[in-house]
Amino acid sequence: TQFYKMEIDPSNPDIILGGTQDNGTIQTVGDPDNWEKILGGDGFYAEIHPDNSNIIYAEYQWGQVRKTVNGGANWIGIGYDFRDDRTNWSTPFIMDHNNPDILYVGTYRLWKTEDAGNSFVNISDDLTQGDDGSSYHTITSLAQSKINSNYLLVGTDDGRVHFSMNEGEWVDISNGLPIRWITSVAFDPFNENTIYSTVSGFRWDEPESHIFKSDDLGENWIPI
């Protein structure tokens, strides 16, 4: 079993679930030797409502996001607004730190719901290097600052990182990073101006991986 992402229930740390290659989204409740599949397909990102363990968001490959309100017994599809967008095999989505009814989903642009997945609106233009007819040029990582929830980061599989402080204006802060797959972006939990990005060269047969840090919201990057 190969996990892509893991999630711990904020209200019950005995509940751990994650998306896995070939084996769907699986969950354990206090017993690491026993896992139950709660959603099929290939599993990737998942989010659990912080106050209600029965509300879970998970997905199949290519951004097929699902929602359950009964702990995985039944699922409904959400995100039909972006079903025709280019999506990554592992399509990232995150839950807002302050409002669990808000989710962000990355295709080649960023989508947002404020009503727990009933409807989505796009809040960016194309944040990649553009469409060449392949499954490439997609968003691979999202982050929201825990210090300032208006701050968002987006990373792509073609080396782009964008920052926004108001969900409407996006600044390309890729300069100084290699044109490689952005595997994750993150905000520092103590300094709102400090951000990080991890980079993989696997697609280009470059085995070295890198972590980059910026203390000025992406104006300058240093390898750490």
Side-chain angles (χ1 to χ4, degrees):
T1 299
Q2 175 189 356
F3 281 97
Y4 282 104
K5 299 290 292 187
M6 301 290 295
E7 180 69 15
I8 300 174
D9 187 335
S11 59
N12 182 357
D14 283 338
I15 299 176
I16 304 171
L17 59 83
T20 68
Q21 173 67 38
D22 290 331
N23 292 294
T25 300
I26 61 176
Q27 175 179 272
T28 181
V29 183
D31 183 357
D33 290 326
N34 288 286
W35 292 75
E36 175 190 9
K37 182 185 289 187
I38 60 173
L39 185 66
D42 292 282
F44 300 94
Y45 284 74
E47 292 282 357
I48 305 173
H49 194 288
D51 304 315
N52 186 342
S53 301
N54 287 317
I55 300 176
I56 303 170
Y57 300 88
E59 65 179 340
Y60 301 151
Q61 58 270 33
W62 305 119
Q64 302 291 310
V65 184
R66 299 291 189 266
K67 176 184 179 180
T68 178
V69 296
N70 54 15
N74 304 101
W75 295 84
I76 60 171
I78 62 173
Y80 292 99
D81 305 275
F82 54 78
R83 285 292 162 84
D84 293 331
D85 276 14
R86 295 192 313 276
T87 53
N88 195 269
W89 173 252
S90 173
T91 297
F93 68 87
I94 58 174
M95 182 180 287
D96 188 276
H97 295 310
N98 301 310
N99 185 345
D101 287 335
I102 295 176
L103 297 173
Y104 298 95
V105 181
T107 60
Y108 63 86
R109 48 187 173 171
L110 192 63
W111 292 80
K112 178 183 181 181
T113 178
E114 296 182 341
D115 55 14
N118 291 321
S119 61
F120 284 81
V121 296
N122 66 75
I123 58 171
S124 80
D125 293 327
D126 191 342
L127 298 178
T128 74
Q129 293 192 39
D131 185 12
D132 62 5
S134 70
S135 60
Y136 193 41
H137 305 300
T138 58
I139 292 172
T140 50
S141 181
L142 308 175
Q144 179 190 41
S145 171
K146 291 184 177 180
I147 302 173
N148 187 332
S149 59
N150 292 319
Y151 283 15
L152 297 171
L153 279 173
V154 170
T156 72
D157 57 14
D158 54 11
R160 291 286 179 89
V161 177
H162 281 81
F163 166 73
S164 175
M165 63 177 60
N166 60 13
E167 296 185 3
E169 298 179 12
W170 291 87
V171 181
D172 188 339
I173 56 172
S174 313
N175 190 37
L177 296 173
I179 303 175
R180 295 290 184 267
W181 192 293
I182 306 298
T183 50
S184 66
V185 288
F187 286 95
D188 190 276
F190 304 108
N191 185 332
E192 70 175 21
N193 293 320
T194 298
I195 57 177
Y196 303 88
S197 177
T198 59
V199 175
S200 169
F202 182 81
R203 181 184 177 92
W204 297 267
D205 198 25
E206 180 187 272
E208 289 187 45
S209 55
H210 304 279
I211 304 174
F212 289 86
K213 176 182 178 180
S214 172
D215 291 318
D216 50 17
L217 290 173
E219 290 188 23
N220 298 279
W221 293 95
I222 58 170
I224 59 171

